[in-house]
Amino acid sequence: MLTVTVPLGSRAYPIHIAPGLLAGAAQHLAPLCPRGTVAVVTDVNVAALHLPAFRAGLESAGLGVEVIVLPAGEATKSWANLELVTERLLALGVERGDAVVALGGGVIGDLTGFAASILRRGCRFVQVPTTLLAQVDSSVGGKTAINAAAGKNLVGAFHQPALVLIDPDTLKTLPLRQLRAGYAEVVKYGLIGDAAFFGWCEANSAALLAGEGALLAEAIATSCRAKALVVAADERETGDTRALLNLGHTFGHAFEAEAGFSDRLLHGEGVALGMALAFDLSVARGLCPPADALRVRAHLASAGFGLSPQRLGLAAPAERLIAHMKQDKKMRAGILPFILVHGIGEAFVARDVPIAEVEAWLEKAIASPGELEDIGV
Ligand code: NAD
Ligand code: GLY
């Protein structure tokens, strides 16, 4: 078993990564469940595929299991489900010292974490992520949220889990498109600050996306180590460190909004497109060697990401994309920070990019996309 620690002083917590951990979760969960009962929140897909093994392992260790099953999908991160989950947890008698378990992808993790953050003014919770995106990103770091009428993730709290249990075997049932979407976040860690890891991604992505377990475990551990350091340095994103994790997200978010946050463009697919654009904009501003941007585009395309807004049916007018970007939580006094790069592994926060310049550049970029845009798509 690999263990990565998120070093947050008295709130430090371990991320355990091991195949088979789902069935063997009891030994890690029991010390966090003083009443001997575990409340599990999951979605209908994960309940069908992975709840039986998880439940059996807990019950055979003498733990009681109460389960709340929600519909799958982004729409689940709603006020209505927040109320449903918190009321159910209260009805189950969950106390502050009990651990509420989020078993599922980022949707379940975000909603359950938020419910735990407000339950009796804050109760313990455990992340058991079952998508690659959740295993490398959303289950670590304590960002929890639901969506509001005004936008995605606009209501939430920072609430760190007490423990993260990652079983890479759960990814065996994950559809390739979802696995690839999570892979975008893996590549992101290389592009932000670890050029050698980006090289590792180039060498191993085909086998990783084919489901090679050892490679998945290595990618998950490297990603969690990178994220743990970022979270320890800047837990609440008050400095620039955690903001770097948003590489590709400002552009990606605009296209996700254009797609109505639907299955037309998964979050990770938006991030991949956004990272390609962040490199292109960095080249256009004379900050990054063109060869690095081409290398990134070539890798993302070979991994199967669509990088052409036209082909994706998302070539909206730049003005509209900019309007989506202005909803960004990072916007301060009219200035939208962009995560740009000096090269692969050298991301930084730029606060001197006029939005009008980005709009003009985006209009041109969308009209004449790069030559490698669709390789491998
Ligand atoms: P998701 O939770 O919707 O899961 C994707 C789909 O995969 C769902 O249909 C789910 O039922 C299914 N699924 C989950 N595990 C499975 C498995 N092992 N086998 C088969 N199917 C499985 O989506 P996601 O991509 O995991 O997460 C996206 C969410 O995460 C978004 O709401 C996003 O805002 C949030 N997010 C949060 C953070 C954070 O730091 N908190 C970071 C990134 C993303
Ligand atoms: N996924 C971005 C963050 O956790 O900060």
Side-chain angles (χ1 to χ4, degrees), residues 142-324:
K143 279 189 182 175
T144 74
I146 58 167
N147 302 326
K152 230 186 101 158
N153 292 331
L154 291 184
V155 181
F158 284 97
H159 186 57
Q160 299 292 341
L163 170 69
V164 182
L165 298 177
I166 299 179
D167 182 346
D169 279 353
T170 57
L171 302 177
K172 287 181 180 160
T173 58
L174 194 66
L176 173 61
R177 188 176 171 206
Q178 293 286 353
L179 189 72
R180 183 187 292 127
Y183 177 68
E185 304 281 6
V186 172
V187 174
K188 184 184 78 176
Y189 293 108
L191 296 181
I192 289 172
D194 189 345
F197 183 56
F198 180 71
W200 183 93
C201 289
E202 289 178 309
N204 293 298
S205 65
L208 185 149
L209 290 170
E212 174 63 57
L215 293 175
L216 281 165
E218 192 173 343
I220 293 163
T222 304
S223 302
C224 287
R225 268 186 222 111
K227 182 144 187 189
L229 288 178
V230 167
V231 170
D234 185 15
E235 185 184 0
R236 292 186 170 236
E237 209 168 311
T238 46
D240 278 356
T241 313
R242 191 158 183 172
L244 294 177
L245 295 178
N246 291 311
L247 176 65
H249 283 56
T250 305
F251 288 119
H253 183 92
F255 288 102
E256 279 184 89
E258 201 50 38
F261 295 104
S262 69
D263 282 359
R264 277 178 66 202
L265 188 75
L266 300 179
H267 175 68
E269 295 169 339
V271 169
L273 171 57
M275 292 192 298
L277 288 170
F279 268 78
D280 290 348
L281 177 59
S282 302
V283 171
R285 301 202 98 218
L287 298 164
C288 169
D292 280 23
L294 285 175
R295 198 175 145 198
V296 170
R297 217 165 240 281
H299 177 59
L300 293 172
S302 77
F305 289 105
L307 302 177
S308 154
Q310 280 97 338
R311 291 281 181 94
L312 293 165
L314 296 169
E319 191 185 356
R320 208 158 76 206
L321 294 170
I322 294 287
H324 293 312

Side-chain angles (χ1 to χ4, degrees), residues 339-357:
I339 314 304
L340 298 183
V341 290
H342 291 301
I344 290 169
E346 295 175 69
F348 67 99
V349 181
R351 291 201 172 73
D352 62 343
V353 189
I355 294 187
E357 178 194 317

